[in-house]
Amino acid sequence: MDSNGDLDAKIEALLSSEKQTRLKEDVAGTKKAATEILQLCFDAKAWKTLNDQIVLLSKRRGQPKQVVTAIVQQAMQYIDQTPDVETKSELIKTLNSVSAGKIYVELERARLIKILAKIKEEQGNISEAADLMQEVAVETFGAMAKTEKIAFILEQVRLCLDRQDYVRAQILSRKISPRVFDADTSKEKKKAKEGDSVVEEAPADIPSLPELKRIYYELMIRYYSHSNDYLEICRCYKSIYEIPTVKENSAMWIPVLRKICWYLVLAPHDPMQSSLLNSTLEDKNLSEIPHFRLLLKQLITMEVIQWTALWNLFKDEFENEKNMLGGSLGDKAAENFRERVIEHNILVVSKYYSRITLKRLAELLCLSLQEAEKHLADMVVSKALVAKVDRPMGVVSFQAAKDSNDILNSWAMNLEKLLDLVEKSCHQIHKETMVHKAALKV
C-alpha cells in the first residue's frame, strides 16, 4: 500500500511539473515529464496505472503533438515486457484509442494493430484479426518505408485468404504493383532524403524486397489455386523463378521449374500459354530435368499423343509433386491433364484434316463417340478452333464458313494469278520465237 501511495505521490508531482512546462509551451520539458511518469509506472509494474496515465496525458488541454508521439513511442517499448497476453492486449488497445485519428502517430498505430492482429490470430480468431488489419490503409502513409507497407498489405492478403475471403484478398493484392519489386532501392533512398517528409527505416523483422516478392507470388498462387487458374499460377511461379536468390540455388529453382512445366501443361491452349511454353523450352536449365523437357516437346509437336502411354510415363512424377515445394497440383489436376491432351489431339487432327468422320476422330482420340463430340463442342464454344458437326452423316468439318465477299475475292485473286501466268507464258513463247528467227537468218 505504501509503495502504491509513494508511486501516486511521485506521479502527482510529475503531473504538476508537466502542467507547468505545458503552459509555458516548453515541449522538451513536457516530453521529459510525461515519459518519466510512464517509466515510473513501468518500473513499479503498475500496468493499469500506466494505461490510465497514457489516456490522461494524451487528453490534457493543449498537449503538443510531439509529446503525444513520445508517449506512444515510449509505451510501445513496454509491449514485449508485459507479464501476460491480457495485459499486453489492454496496453495495445489503450495506445490504439490514443493514436486513433491522429495523423502524426499513424505509423505507430499501424504497427500496434499488426501486433494486436497477431495476438488474435494466435488465439484462433482469424476473422477478427483480418477485420483489425483492414482498418488501416497503409498505402496512404508517407512516413512508412516501402518494404514495411508491402509487408503490411501482404499480411492483410494472407489473413483474408486464411478466412477464405477471396474477393477482398484480390482487392487488397491489387494495391501492390508487381513492378515495385523490380525498383532500384538505392535510388529510392536518395529520393527520400531530398523530400520534405522523412521516411522512417523499416523495422529489422521486415523482409527484404526479393523476399517480399516471393511471399507476394506465393499468396497469389494460393488465390489462383482456389479458381484453378493454371496459367496465372504458372506466371506466378515464373516470377518466383526470376528472383536472383532462387536462380542461384539449384535446390530452389528445380522444384519451381517443375511446377512451371506442370502448370503450363495443365493450362488451356491460348496465345499466352503457347508463348510461355516456347520461352520455357528455350531455358537452358530445363536440360537438368529432361523428363519435363520431353513433356513440353510433346505438346508443341503436331502429333497425336497416346494418353495411356503418356500417363504411365509421367504418373510417378505427377504423384511426386505432393512432396515438392508448393504441394500437390490440385484435386482436379489429373483430370485436367487428360483434357489438355485431348484438346491437343483435336488441334492436331484439325490441322491435318479438313473433313473427318466422327467415328475416325473418336478412334484417333481413343474416346467414345459421345466423349469425342463433347470435347469438340467445348473447344468450339471456347473459340479454340472452328468446326461443324453433321450428325446425321457423322462428319466433322474443320473448315470455316466463307461469306460471299471472301469467295468473290479469292475467285478474283485466282483469275489475276491465271492472267499473270498466261502473260508470262506468252512473253516466253515470243522470246523463244525471236531467238529461233535470229538463228535461222544467220
Side-chain angles (χ1 to χ4, degrees), residues 29 48 121 132 145 155 165 187 230 238-239 284 367 374 378 431:
K48 192 176 185 308
E121 190 186 359
L132 267 172
E155 192 66 14
D165 188 351
K187 287 180 184 175
Y230 296 125
K238 192 89 172 163
S239 299
K284 289 174 184 175
L367 298 171
K374 178 188 171 293
D378 289 343
K431 185 182 169 185

Side-chain angles (χ1 to χ4, degrees), residues 302-304 345-365 376 385-388 395-400:
M302 294 309 279
E303 289 179 13
V304 171
N345 290 345
I346 291 172
L347 286 168
V348 171
V349 170
S350 70
K351 188 176 180 212
Y352 292 114
Y353 289 85
S354 56
R355 292 173 83 245
I356 188 171
T357 62
L358 202 55
K359 188 182 175 186
R360 177 66 182 141
L361 179 67
E363 280 174 21
L364 288 169
L365 300 176
L376 184 65
L385 85 161
V386 176
K388 276 189 176 181
V395 174
V396 181
S397 172
F398 292 110
Q399 288 176 319

